[in-house]
Amino acid sequence: MDALSLLAGGFADALTPANLLWCLVGVVLGTAVGVLPGLGSSMAVALLLPLTFLLEPTAAFIMFAGIYYGGQFGGATTSILLNTPGQSSSIVTAFEGYAMARSGRASQALAAAVLGSFVGGIVATTVVAFFAQRMVAFALGFGPAEYFALAVLAFVSTVAVITSAPARGVAALGVGLALSVVGIDDQTGAVRMTLGVPQVLDGIDIVVVTVGLLAVGEVLHCGFRPDGAPADRVIASGAPWLSRADLRRSWLPWLRGTAVGLPFGVVPAGGAEIPTFLSYGMEKALARRRGNSEFGRGAIEGVAGPEAANNATTATAMIPLLGLGLPTSATAAVMLAAFQQYGMQPGPLLFEGDADLVWALLASMFVGTVLLLVINLPFAPLWARLLRLPRRHLYAGLVVFATVGVYAAKGSVFEVGLLYAVGAVGLLMRCHGIPVAPVLIGVILGPLAEGELRRAMAAGQGDPAVLLDSGIALGLYALMLAGVAIAVAAALRARRRTPAPDAENPPVAAP
Amino acid sequence: MTTTGPDAPASAPTAPPTAPDAPPAPRTRATLGVAALTGATGVLLLLGGALIREPAASGYLGPRFFPLAVGALLVATALASAAWALRPAARRAAAAAPAPAPERGDRRTLVVMAATLAGHLLLLQPLGWLIAGTLLFWGISTALGPRRPLLDLFVAAALAGVVQMVFSGLLDVPLPAGPLGGIG
């Protein structure tokens, strides 16, 4: 197949010393922006985009790839060390990664994340290089009904798998969906749930919600804890390398995460969040089945799988971007802007018209992935030492960076106030033992679910049957029912083992 | 967060497990608390959804449908969950079993933190990032560990300065300058 020779040509263009240097600069700068809490890969790409315009196209794209992967890793780093994801696709990484960091395994979590990104990125970029043109056809098969089914699948798996108490999961998901409704309805222009505050007409930003719930809520909760957590205590950063046992536990999650992530980049479903959540749920369910689950206490599988899924998705997101001109994530949208800056119009003709640049870009994605591994794996223990700061400084710094990150992104004090308010909600939820993850899923996927539902109903002239009139949608619902059945069966089995009925787990219908 | 050791129950992925100090019938009360929160969110959605002014051409499902549907679902969940917890069998089990309850924490730390955050919101524009950011860091770190205020103040000023340089200088994101704007 001539894709190989074309790719070889791309590598020949990309692998010059000067380009490698730009890639290196990109990785370092991207990581530096990414480790600022609240600023992730899309922010890194957006902030550093003007810099790449100083270069000729090939060098610019290779630096771009470096920035992107660096930002991605930086976002995962803050997730793990500070419980503050830089982008919504790193939210899941925070769950187990932060638990690992707390128990002195920060370096291992970082290494599992880097290697997971590497595996996901390499496999997915290979797929993109060889199958891009064919996968575009698959993506075109997704209509409103399929997207709605996808969102419902994510909601149900959130409540049934990620959280252990469905009532609390529903409560949290409801808060998220309520937040997602705020602002101007983009289909009719109706003003919804703003309580008369003009600043939220554009909706409540996911960055504000994420950083507020996870970072600010965490700091407030730390101050609120009754046992007077010793604020000067330092968290041990632990031994620096992945042990053989860690590797044995990680390699399958890496591959599974990659497999989960691959198809999702192709369908424009709001980025890499769904596959990370699905991968997390899958690893958690598998660990529970094996009976040695460390989930909740820092399971390396919960970092390895989602990070691989995340990077696999973002790499395959290049398929709709290049093939259809359709950006499926914030980062892809910025990249689209970059393409247009160089006079390239992504779409079916791109592979013919600008073949040299496309293959150089694909080659530079390989190079960026490898460089990230080479540069950041040795630095994982170094980043982990961040945890040796006195805790009161770490937490105060967290609030400072959360504040300045939100202020920089939105440019208004009101948004900072909103950030603190969301942090207070996060405190309230933590005090009641309500998980915050479903809130984020609700905020991210709420608009997708609602918009596609309404679009489907409009297309079907108000007939709900249109939602089931598709093989892909039916398959997704079947998957959902099977998952719920397994979860219910597992819960029943657990209940039979412990005779006391569990008042916290009423069998509520999932949304 | 360091205090939740590896023996903590794996109840929720991000929310740390609550402290196991047990006031009377804690389990029922905790469940009812969650149900109350769920119900309040649902009622808010129902009210907010009812107040939406629907444009004439709204298609098949207008802007009201989604908030109302989610709101109704949440209220139903809250009622079911409360009814489930108040069953006689569940109450007997709850009275027997120890369970996590809402925490009652250290109000002083929280008050200092809340005051710091509120102060930062008020002072960010008039005083500029350098001063307001220094106070923000200093307030939070002092709330968490008030033993070395001078060291904290020094760290706070240094960090605020570095942030100012990185954001204004390198990333070209303007932060409020305040009265110090003319100097730097």
Side-chain angles (χ1 to χ4, degrees), chain A residues 109-157:
Chain A
L110 288 172
V114 179
L115 285 167
S117 308
F118 175 76
V119 173
I122 287 289
V123 173
T125 311
T126 313
V127 170
V128 173
F130 289 100
F131 298 104
Q133 276 138 317
R134 249 170 287 172
M135 284 171 87
V136 166
F138 170 69
L140 286 174
F142 261 65
E146 286 82 0
Y147 286 130
F148 179 68
L150 203 57
V152 171
L153 171 68
F155 290 152
V156 171
S157 58

Side-chain angles (χ1 to χ4, degrees), chain A residues 406-429:
Chain A
V406 165
Y407 186 86
K410 311 293 291 185
S412 89
V413 177
F414 174 81
E415 298 284 340
V416 178
L418 203 56
L419 171 80
Y420 295 162
V422 173
V425 173
L427 171 69
L428 193 68
M429 294 178 65

Side-chain angles (χ1 to χ4, degrees), chain A residues 147 160 192 267 336 402 436:
Chain A
Y147 286 130
R192 305 200 289 180
V267 294
L336 188 62
V436 294

Side-chain angles (χ1 to χ4, degrees), chain A residues 479-509:
Chain A
L479 201 65
M480 181 180 91
L481 289 179
V484 169
I486 292 173
V488 168
L492 285 180
R493 224 178 320 145
R495 182 168 301 177
R496 217 174 301 139
R497 233 172 282 151
T498 51
D502 193 346
E504 276 182 273
N505 289 307
V508 280

Side-chain angles (χ1 to χ4, degrees), chain A residues 181-192 194 200-203:
Chain A
V181 172
V182 173
I184 291 179
D185 171 38
D186 54 3
Q187 288 189 22
T188 59
V191 175
R192 305 200 289 180
T194 59
V200 295
L201 282 176
D202 283 339

Side-chain angles (χ1 to χ4, degrees), chain A residues 59-75:
Chain A
F61 280 126
I62 203 165
M63 185 169 167
F64 209 85
I67 291 172
Y68 173 69
Y69 283 120
Q72 191 87 7
F73 174 72

